[in-house]
Amino acid sequence: MDTLIASPSSGLKGSIACPGDKSMSHRALILGGMALGQTRVEGLLCGQDVLATLGALRQLGVSITGPDKAGCTTISGRGLGAFTAPHAPLDLGNSGTGARLLMGVVAGADITASFTGDASLSVRPMGRIIAPLHEMGAQFMARDGNYLPLTLTGTDTPLSIDWQSNIASAQVKSAILLAGLSARGITSITEPTASRDHSERMLAHFGAEITSETHADGHYTAYLKGEADLTGADIAIPADPSSAAFAAVAALITANSAITIPNTGLNPLRFGLYETLREMGADISISNQRLEGGEPVGDITCHSSQLSGINVPESRAASMIDEYPILAIAAACAEGTTVMHGIGELRVKETDRIAMTEQGLLQAGVEVKTTPDSMTIKGGGGKGNGGKALAGGFTLDACHDHRIAMAFLVCGLASSSPISVSGAETINTSFPNFAELMQNLGADIEPNA
Ligand code: S3P
């Protein structure tokens, strides 16, 4: 197991080229495999999660080459439903997105495939995907009806459905839409608030007929016309705002820091953390805004800031669902109390992120209270801004959770003594060169000698 040690740091400076967006990378490979013709992807994230999806698509008969020297990955699509049955289980490792989206793909094809994953993925709920895909005609055999390993038999004539989801989940929405591509008629999926819409945007980019609406009560529905003709397309993937979040918060909570994160995705349904940090008083500016392949992109600049605690409303949860661990570190360095509402979904991520964040912050000497779906953090003002330093001097096991690992390494930068994170190799799932890129900014994050 790899251990990384983060020591008190200040004066982070420069520009950090964060890796490609994980959500978009999975979708570019998958839609490229379902389209007819070639898809060329620039900036694909080569993290283990995406590589697991890439490997699974190859097992389904999709030819993928690259990335070449220019950073371009080429996918030769097979067309809808034209996959070959894999000879071995599809092992999606740590990736909930890979597993759940590919279940949607297999559900709309006339093949049987088994799905496996690592210790973390094997205890994450799959019932939320099984229920709608079963209604569309797919057959499942899952451990306890809810968990990997599972075996799925799809059909190339799935039924279109109108699914009402009680959670805002882009993975659920995307699995249904991917299966719905092969169905006759319109498939719709309604969620309580809009989750990230990369699937909708990318499906339109590949030529699918897809529309959406947000209702007066905040509910969101996407409508997809089935028996779609997808055509291979060129896609440029921006830097992942969820990965950029770690560098951004590191700069905010350390003294004399000023960093830029160029070419970062600014999709409003991913931008909740940055809005929240700004409400807390963060000096974050955005420049060079543009649209690329249907997605807003720009450069994010962050300066050291005195943060204040706020209430983070439930309505914002979907747009920052992966960012609560790093928000918790910012909150611990803020003056006053931060309350995060409506975050129960965090309990079924790579770990129970409410419990893991609480455990780490308590060791850092921070007052934390949690309920099944909320977290309250009393900040100490932050060492970087003349307030109280976090305690440090402990080791946290990442437990297969990349975002917990990175959040507590950033925490170490603003602590009075170093914080060690064991199992830090999990960071490779989403941010392969995290330590090196942070070191280039001046952050003291080193492997255990
Ligand atoms: C993702 C959706 C989110 C997020 C995950 C990536 C995606 O999950 O937590 O890291 O790419 O669709 P849910 O929207 O299913 O909660």
Side-chain angles (χ1 to χ4, degrees):
M1 268 209 321
D2 297 347
T3 296
L4 287 172
I5 306 174
S7 303
S9 302
S10 60
L12 308 193
K13 292 266 155 50
S15 173
I16 176 167
C18 286
D21 189 278
K22 183 154 74 71
S23 293
M24 289 180 67
S25 295
H26 285 291
R27 287 159 172 80
L29 292 173
I30 290 172
L31 291 185
M34 297 177 93
L36 275 177
Q38 280 205 339
T39 288
R40 290 160 52 84
V41 186
E42 215 182 277
L44 187 85
L45 165 65
C46 289
Q48 280 166 2
D49 274 14
V50 174
L51 295 179
T53 289
L54 189 153
L57 284 167
R58 283 194 175 136
Q59 284 179 262
L60 293 168
V62 179
S63 154
I64 304 172
T65 57
D68 61 18
K69 281 195 187 121
C72 182
T73 304
T74 304
I75 306 145
S76 301
R78 295 185 66 94
L80 274 194
F83 295 106
T84 51
H87 298 301
L90 307 177
D91 182 355
L92 275 309
N94 191 248
S95 180
T97 307
R100 292 178 173 135
L101 268 56
L102 284 169
M103 285 182 207
V105 171
V106 172
D110 200 12
I111 56 172
T112 294
S114 296
F115 289 77
T116 61
D118 71 3
S120 158
L121 188 56
S122 301
V123 294
R124 295 182 67 185
M126 296 298 155
R128 55 182 61 192
I129 302 291
I130 294 173
L133 296 183
H134 179 67
E135 198 158 308
M136 295 177 87
Q139 301 297 322
F140 287 84
M141 268 179 14
R143 182 172 62 83
D144 292 339
N146 194 22
Y147 300 103
L148 301 185
L150 67 73
T151 298
L152 159 50
T153 300
T155 164
D156 55 6
T157 52
L159 301 170
S160 52
I161 57 169
D162 297 303
W163 191 256
Q164 306 282 331
S165 175
N166 56 8
I167 45 171
S169 163
Q171 295 176 354
V172 170
K173 174 170 65 179
S174 303
I176 293 169
L177 292 174
L178 291 170
L181 282 169
S182 314
R184 177 169 292 178
I186 308 277
T187 291
S188 78
I189 151 81
T190 299
E191 47 187 0
T193 53
S195 62
R196 64 192 68 191
D197 62 355
H198 301 300
S199 294
E200 294 91 309
R201 288 174 188 251
M202 214 180 277
L203 278 163
H205 188 62
F206 276 85
E209 288 182 45
I210 182 158
T211 57
S212 62
E213 63 177 324
T214 301
H215 308 274
D217 61 0
H219 281 56
Y220 166 96
T221 307
Y223 306 90
L224 172 77
K225 186 157 181 257
E227 297 180 304
D229 290 317
L230 300 186
T231 310
D234 288 350
I235 297 173
I237 297 186
D240 194 321
S242 299
S243 298
F246 298 100
V249 171
L252 297 177
I253 64 173
T254 53
N256 303 318
S257 295
I259 67 154
T260 297
I261 312 157
N263 194 34
T264 306
L266 305 176
N267 183 317
L269 295 171
R270 297 286 300 283
F271 218 62
L273 172 76
Y274 298 90
E275 270 175 62
T276 303
L277 290 169
R278 276 177 161 167
E279 280 175 21
M280 294 172 80
D283 181 352
I284 298 178
S285 55
I286 309 225
S287 57
N288 198 15
Q289 282 194 54
R290 58 204 185 273
L291 257 192
E292 272 181 17
E295 293 271 357
V297 174
D299 302 347
I300 300 177
T301 298
C302 302
H303 289 86
S304 317
S305 303
Q306 178 62 63
L307 304 175
S308 306
I310 59 161
N311 271 310
V312 188
E314 175 169 11
S315 56
R316 198 174 287 163
S319 69
M320 54 181 294
I321 196 66
D322 293 333
E323 278 66 81
Y324 284 95
I326 190 62
L327 174 64
I329 305 305
C333 295
E335 228 161 66
T337 301
T338 296
V339 191
M340 307 170 193
H341 301 276
I343 57 171
E345 271 294 296
L346 261 60
R347 295 211 180 266
V348 289
K349 293 297 179 187
E350 283 81 334
T351 55
D352 175 342
R353 285 185 173 156
I354 296 180
M356 289 290 288
T357 303
E358 180 181 26
Q359 184 194 324
L361 285 181
L362 287 174
Q363 292 188 82
V366 180
E367 265 183 58
V368 194
K369 281 201 194 106
T370 62
T371 70
D373 72 345
S374 76
M375 188 153 54
T376 302
I377 295 170
K378 196 166 165 210
K383 180 187 173 209
N385 296 294
K388 188 171 154 245
L390 304 174
F394 62 91
T395 300
L396 187 82
D397 190 288
C399 295
H400 303 280
D401 192 329
H402 53 134
R403 298 200 200 279
I404 291 294
M406 288 185 276
F408 280 93
L409 288 168
V410 171
C411 183
L413 306 179
S415 300
S416 53
S417 51
I419 292 177
S420 301
V421 172
S422 60
E425 66 280 359
T426 186
I427 294 172
N428 292 332
T429 59
S430 66
F431 201 151
N433 42 4
F434 172 73
E436 187 190 324
L437 293 181
M438 292 297 289
Q439 278 162 17
N440 292 346
L441 294 177
D444 187 351
I445 300 180
E446 299 281 348
N448 193 6

